[in-house]
Amino acid sequence: MTKKLWGGRFSKETDPLVEEFTKSVHYDHKLARYDILGSILHVQVLKKAKYLSPKEAAKLTMALDSLYKATVRGVFKYDAKAEDIHTDIQNKLEAKVGDLALKLHTARSRNEQVVLATKVYCKVELAGLIADLAAVEETLAKLSKKNEDMVIPGFTHMQHAQPVYLKDYLGAYIRMFERDRARLASISNNIELTMGAGALAGTPIPSAKYNVSIQGLKIKSAVNSIDAVSDRDFVIEILSALAICGVHLSRLGEDLIIWSTKEFDFVEIDDAFCTGSSLMPHKKNADVLELIRGYAGHLNGNLISVLTMMKGLPLSYNRDMQLDKEPLFNSIETVSMSLKVLSRLIGTIKFKKVRIEAYLEDESLYATDLVYYLVDKGVPFKTAHAIVGRLVRYSLDNKIEIKSMSEAELHKFSDKFKSQQILKLFNPKASVDSKRSIARR
Ligand code: ARG
């Protein structure tokens, strides 16, 4: 292992297995650029507090800036032997500016460094996810527009229920993703960027000197330093919002998987978004959607993992909290990738009109419309419901379509039935357009 940020009070080298066990640089290197931003901000504070001369501050800022630029250019190489990314950056800074770098840690602890870096990482990544969600909503809206007038059988309990517009079905997912987007935006807005907590007890620097900013990120001094280093609510909120989003993604995946089966055959998913079988040459599988559905399990697991890790922790910082990062990164990367691939997949979907129209022939889809018909003629709803129920039973038992029953036959159930009028009810478009309660946008 390379140089540590501590060690003075130790009389022995750390056991190599402990070094391996406690390390986090192999994943927290993803925070590199945000940790560097935090250090640039800390230089501003130290300069204000006169712990650093303007010249020293300028020199440190320049060195930090060059490290920052390396992260942006993608040429920053983390040292796999460092304990964590904070240690690695400190060591790199010492290599650049020598002993001056030793002053950077004045009134500072990794306990708060890691919180600030993680919070900035979250704000940046949430902005990306919000854009990814908007892109999915847009492709869904385009698909709806392309099939503006298409009616499909609607399901409850996976049984034929009532006809619905495809645009409303897809619109339901648009609503879910809108809520996901709003949730993430509100979580991001609520993330407070603070400094001045030190390890837990605050620092000798007056709170006003922590009013610094960089790249539009405004820092305030922590209202409660103990809470500042102990709080991981923002991580749990994000994991929760992403688990919910994962549920939405999984349900959409499942709908499309079912719709692409031979049994349903409602949709064609483009070859570019399916995979084959090594054994069965005819296979075209919706693996992408299956993985999106499967990843919902990871997303739930990540939420439970951090909730459980946090639940028994005494205040303030405990090393357990280092373990929030892998689930956090994993959920963010999983949802981001799922949204990106889903957006492209949706762009290729074709609905099979002829097939869907054949399913719309099923009379049971219009049973509720028959009830409304009777209600409009003054029959109480429950009575009408029972009448149509008996009519459906009769139709099934005798294998006669309601459509082809004579008026006399219909009158056995209710004398309100007029064949001419009833025929018009078995029409998908008429059925969906008779529902006037929907405040479509
Ligand atoms: N890598 C650590 C984390 O992610 C940094 C904090 C370590 N602090 C300490 N006092 N040991 O939480």
Side-chain angles (χ1 to χ4, degrees), residues 6 22-25 27-28 31 83-87 109-115 118 199 232 317-325:
W6 45 274
T22 53
K23 218 184 243 189
S24 56
V25 73
Y27 51 85
D28 66 18
L31 299 177
E83 183 180 349
D84 57 22
I85 191 61
H86 320 290
T87 309
S109 158
R110 278 181 297 167
N111 298 356
E112 73 163 345
Q113 241 180 293
V114 70
V115 179
T118 308
R232 292 295 183 277
Y317 177 85
N318 299 272
R319 192 61 173 263
D320 317 43
M321 289 154 90
Q322 176 167 291
L323 304 181
D324 65 347
K325 275 164 223 71

Side-chain angles (χ1 to χ4, degrees), residues 39-288:
S39 292
I40 296 173
L41 287 164
H42 192 61
V43 170
Q44 289 184 29
V45 175
L46 292 181
K47 186 173 120 184
K48 280 190 183 181
K50 304 214 165 17
Y51 281 115
L52 288 174
S53 72
K55 230 171 125 191
E56 288 174 323
K59 196 168 170 193
L60 278 171
T61 305
M62 231 166 71
L64 285 164
D65 201 49
S66 81
L67 287 174
Y68 181 81
K69 287 197 176 105
T71 67
V72 174
R73 288 202 311 273
V75 295
F76 179 94
K77 297 257 174 303
Y78 73 89
D79 174 7
K81 293 201 183 73
E83 183 180 349
D84 57 22
I85 191 61
H86 320 290
T87 309
D88 184 27
I89 288 166
Q90 175 66 29
N91 290 344
K92 283 184 166 62
L93 201 61
E94 283 174 29
K96 275 185 188 288
V97 301
D99 282 355
L100 174 58
L102 304 179
K103 289 193 174 182
L104 181 63
H105 220 65
T106 313
R108 197 179 196 203
S109 158
R110 278 181 297 167
N111 298 356
E112 73 163 345
Q113 241 180 293
V114 70
V115 179
L116 181 62
T118 308
K119 283 182 169 175
V120 177
Y121 163 88
C122 287
K123 277 186 183 277
V124 170
E125 293 297 323
L126 291 189
L129 288 174
I130 287 167
D132 292 337
L133 278 163
V136 170
E137 287 164 41
E138 208 173 294
T139 42
L140 281 171
K142 264 195 202 137
L143 188 61
S144 303
K145 190 103 191 98
K146 213 161 110 191
N147 300 281
E148 178 86 43
D149 291 320
M150 188 178 285
V151 177
I152 61 168
F155 300 85
T156 62
H157 314 269
M158 270 196 89
Q159 304 289 340
H160 270 193
Q162 292 178 281
V164 293
Y165 273 121
L166 174 67
K167 66 180 175 202
D168 287 339
Y169 201 97
L170 297 176
Y173 284 106
I174 295 179
R175 296 290 293 155
M176 292 178 225
F177 294 131
E178 280 173 352
R179 287 197 296 275
D180 289 330
R181 198 152 50 86
R183 239 186 305 271
L184 293 178
S186 120
I187 293 170
S188 180
N189 284 338
N190 287 336
I191 293 178
E192 282 184 357
L193 303 178
T194 65
M195 286 170 68
L200 83 160
T203 79
I205 300 172
S207 63
K209 301 219 185 299
Y210 283 98
N211 293 333
V212 286
S213 68
I214 194 165
Q215 297 185 5
L217 303 165
K218 283 198 169 60
I219 310 295
K220 283 190 298 205
S221 91
V223 171
N224 183 303
S225 58
I226 300 169
D227 180 55
V229 296
S230 312
D231 168 34
R232 292 295 183 277
D233 288 2
F234 66 101
V235 173
I236 295 170
E237 282 184 23
I238 292 169
L239 292 177
S240 160
L242 294 181
I244 296 172
C245 179
V247 169
H248 299 155
L249 286 166
S250 179
R251 294 183 75 177
L252 177 54
E254 174 67 357
D255 268 336
L256 292 174
I257 289 166
I258 295 177
W259 286 2
S260 66
T261 58
K262 212 158 233 170
E263 285 67 24
F264 269 79
D265 205 18
F266 278 13
V267 290
E268 183 71 40
I269 298 167
D270 198 80
D271 277 7
F273 292 91
C274 293
T275 56
S277 154
S278 59
L279 195 143
M280 300 166 282
H282 68 285
K283 291 283 275 174
K284 177 176 164 183
N285 300 326
D287 291 30
V288 170

